[in-house]
Amino acid sequence: MPTERWETRLIHSEARVPAGFRSLATPVHRGSTTLFERAADAHEDWNHERHAYTYGLFGTPTTLELAARLAELEHGSHTFLTPGGQGAISLIWLALAKAGDHVLVSDSVYGPNRALATKVLTRLGVNPEFYPPTIGADIAGLIRPETTLVWCESPGSVTFEVQDVPAIAAAAHARGAVVALDNTWSAGVFFDAFAHGADVTMQALTKYVGGHSDLLLGSVTVRDEALYERIGSTLQFLGMAVSPDDCSLALRGMQTLAVRLRALEASTLRVARWLAERPEVERVLHPALPSCPGHELWLRDFTGSTSVFSIVFAERYAAEKILAFVDALELFEIGYSWGGVTSLAVPQFSIRRSTPAFRRNSIVRLNIGLEATEDLIADLEQAMRVLG
Ligand SMILES: *Cc1c(COP(=O)(O)O)cnc(C)c1O
């Protein structure tokens, strides 16, 4: 072939770099098109154990490394990545629920998960029922012949009830139902979900694995091959692609996860215990404190605690006073999501529950960051003066 024109050289270059580069960072492999050696090899398959790489949507070495490391950390067999924690939740539902199914969902699940169940799953003919998070073995009484899935989140969002996952799983498994668990609070490490009976878990990697409030990513981890096949064959057609750049940030986050979690745990416990002594605070909802529903289950089943918890203000404070308290905070920023390095405060005045457990307009959720604990306590103390 004659020497190609420069336009062609731009696309098919013969420039070469030395081989043998090694570094400590996982390379960022971007790519939609995956190349095959021979025409006969070209096909699409989500399962990288059958065929390593067939299309960018199903993974590049960067995304597959993150997935494999998460499966290792959570003691699962395989992990799938999704564009966010809520994407992980919807992947589990769409893969496992079908028309005619009855599904049991903890009353304190993450709000958008509840909304997905009531607004989308119902449209697809699935019948969700919300059960009290502290139900334990009594869940057996709610399981019907058509119950296929029990969703747990322990501790729950906003109100932090710790669930008896082993008891719930035993009851579900006795009737052939699958147990899904949102394991975001424990970062997938402080609660060994599969050892406690879960079949499939998800995490918002957005929180602790990312750890710096700069990415949105989720994961779904399964116990066995049957769930791997069921979820993978659904994911193939949902088109939930993740960015290798975000995955490389998550891989970097994993390297410091242990030290961040231990520092956050210690600081958060000091702040929570300080708040528990304050007359303005009726109750602290932190799983490691006896005032939290299910605290004894946290002691039994968890190996640590993290940085997000709630406080219930005393009944005498009107909603406006509590909002003024949040506004008076100087170091705590106001915003959703958590697990990063910055302390956050968000009023949680309109939580939806089938069985209301806490007074409306009384809860503020806090996320403790990596600031000096003394400064955070001083900030909370000065802001409490506005309560009067
Ligand atoms: C944040 C969160 C999610 C959703 O994660 P995104 O990445 O924000 O979509 C799911 N579950 C829990 C418990 C969460 O806190």
Side-chain angles (χ1 to χ4, degrees):
M1 206 182 344
T3 312
E4 289 99 348
R5 292 168 177 77
W6 67 272
E7 291 90 339
T8 302
R9 273 280 174 251
L10 287 175
I11 314 299
H12 300 271
S13 172
E14 280 179 4
R16 293 291 173 261
V17 296
F21 175 80
R22 295 173 67 228
S23 91
L24 292 170
T26 303
V28 178
H29 291 279
R30 295 195 192 87
S32 50
T33 297
T34 299
L35 302 181
F36 301 98
E37 280 303 320
R38 293 182 312 271
D41 295 339
H43 64 275
E44 288 182 48
D45 188 352
W46 64 271
N47 186 326
H48 59 263
E49 295 197 335
R50 276 193 301 254
H51 298 101
Y53 302 106
T54 63
Y55 187 47
L57 196 57
F58 311 134
T60 74
T62 314
T63 66
L64 295 187
E65 173 156 344
L66 176 61
R69 281 173 172 250
L70 287 165
E72 180 180 48
L73 198 64
E74 294 191 37
H75 309 136
S77 71
H78 298 85
T79 294
F80 299 100
L81 300 175
T82 57
Q86 180 67 5
I89 290 169
S90 55
L91 171 61
I92 293 174
W93 282 123
L94 291 174
L96 302 183
K98 63 181 187 311
D101 285 355
H102 170 250
V103 295
L104 287 163
V105 183
S106 173
D107 211 12
S108 58
V109 283
Y110 178 62
N113 186 357
R114 182 188 195 92
L116 178 76
T118 55
K119 294 180 202 302
V120 180
L121 293 182
T122 48
R123 210 165 63 207
L124 302 176
V126 178
N127 174 19
E129 179 182 352
F130 295 94
Y131 67 87
T134 52
I135 196 168
D138 290 344
I139 197 147
L142 298 180
I143 299 176
R144 308 176 190 170
E146 68 275 21
T147 307
T148 53
L149 194 148
V150 179
W151 194 293
C152 299
E153 182 180 323
S154 180
S157 278
V158 183
T159 44
F160 298 93
E161 299 90 341
V162 185
Q163 295 199 269
D164 193 342
V165 175
I168 292 172
H173 292 157
R175 305 282 293 275
V178 165
V179 176
L181 172 82
D182 186 330
N183 205 15
T184 303
W185 186 85
S186 90
V189 292
F190 288 155
F191 181 69
D192 191 345
F194 297 111
H196 289 92
D199 300 301
V200 51
T201 67
M202 53 71 47
Q203 264 202 78
L205 305 177
T206 309
K207 308 290 167 51
Y208 292 115
V209 171
H212 296 78
S213 312
D214 56 1
L215 67 92
L216 287 153
L217 210 57
S219 64
V220 172
T221 301
V222 294
R223 177 200 284 287
D224 63 26
E225 294 300 316
L227 283 167
Y228 177 56
E229 197 61 41
R230 177 80 177 262
I231 293 176
S233 59
T234 304
L235 180 59
Q236 168 149 22
F237 304 114
L238 291 180
M240 291 188 182
V242 298
S243 153
D245 296 278
D246 286 343
C247 291
S248 94
L249 287 175
L251 282 162
R252 184 162 72 173
M254 278 181 92
Q255 294 175 331
T256 56
L257 182 64
V259 287
R260 282 187 288 112
L261 286 179
R262 289 301 177 195
L264 292 172
E265 173 177 47
S267 185
T268 303
L269 283 170
R270 280 179 62 200
V271 174
R273 288 184 181 129
W274 181 84
L275 284 163
E277 299 299 318
R278 295 291 304 196
E280 298 87 347
V281 176
E282 178 181 296
R283 191 167 178 185
V284 176
L285 301 174
H286 182 304
L289 269 62
S291 51
C292 191
H295 165 67
E296 63 292 344
L297 298 169
W298 176 82
L299 284 174
R300 186 190 72 186
D301 294 344
F302 285 67
T303 55
S305 61
T306 52
S307 67
V308 65
F309 68 100
S310 289
I311 48 179
V312 184
F313 276 94
E315 196 162 1
R316 60 183 176 279
Y317 300 117
E320 307 78 65
K321 283 278 184 202
I322 299 173
L323 294 177
F325 159 80
V326 172
D327 285 334
L329 290 164
E330 287 169 6
L331 294 176
F332 285 80
E333 303 283 355
I334 304 168
Y336 289 110
S337 207
W338 38 271
V341 301
T342 311
S343 290
L344 302 170
V346 210
Q348 296 279 354
F349 283 180
S350 52
I351 50 171
R352 284 181 210 287
R353 295 285 190 270
S354 302
T355 320
F358 295 93
R359 267 194 336 277
R360 287 180 71 81
N361 299 344
S362 64
I363 296 182
V364 172
R365 190 183 70 190
L366 299 177
N367 172 66
I368 302 304
L370 290 176
E371 302 93 341
T373 314
E374 294 73 12
D375 290 342
L376 295 176
I377 289 175
D379 192 25
L380 290 163
E381 188 163 29
Q382 66 78 23
M384 281 192 177
R385 286 189 210 119
V386 308
L387 290 169

